[in-house]
Amino acid sequence: MNPATLMEKLIAVIVQIQVDSGLDCPQLTGATKPLDNVPGFDSKVWPVATTILSMEIGAPIPDDMNIFVDETTKIPRSIDEIAASVCELLKRQAKEGATE
């Protein structure tokens, strides 16, 4: 899966969560940082968003992985950064699956 497709799916997931929660949803772009820029999008919501995204892309994302924050810097990621990170995860999973 390419980052652009993943970005589209992630934006759709975030918009749906905001609508279902009755919360405002700003215009989402690749530069949007959901944890900083989306009302009510916090540690209670990101695991749900991650699970829904995992189902949408048909690939597992580890439960303990916060795709919305950079593990090293602890800085919230933009949608572009999240898409690139999840694409890298999918590549690693595919490579690991191929070597088993």
Side-chain angles (χ1 to χ4, degrees):
M1 179 168 295
N2 67 47
T5 301
L6 209 136
M7 185 179 90
E8 290 173 17
K9 291 184 179 292
L10 177 59
I11 287 174
V13 167
I14 294 170
V15 168
Q16 191 60 51
I17 287 172
Q18 293 303 104
V19 168
D20 290 349
S21 301
L23 297 170
D24 289 334
C25 188
Q27 180 71 28
L28 300 177
T29 68
T32 304
K33 293 185 177 187
L35 294 182
D36 289 341
N37 306 121
V38 178
F41 202 91
D42 57 20
S43 62
K44 294 179 183 175
V45 177
W46 69 255
V48 174
T50 302
T51 299
I52 295 170
L53 180 63
S54 177
M55 292 186 309
E56 288 290 321
I57 64 175
I61 298 173
D63 291 337
D64 61 346
M65 181 179 182
N66 183 351
I67 62 173
F68 297 94
V69 175
D70 184 284
E71 290 178 17
T72 307
T73 65
K74 305 301 182 203
I75 295 173
R77 288 182 170 147
S78 68
I79 289 175
D80 278 341
E81 292 167 332
I82 296 164
S85 173
V86 173
C87 281
E88 284 301 312
L89 171 68
L90 297 177
K91 286 179 189 174
R92 284 194 309 271
Q93 289 174 343
K95 191 178 288 186
E96 290 169 5
T99 60
E100 290 179 6

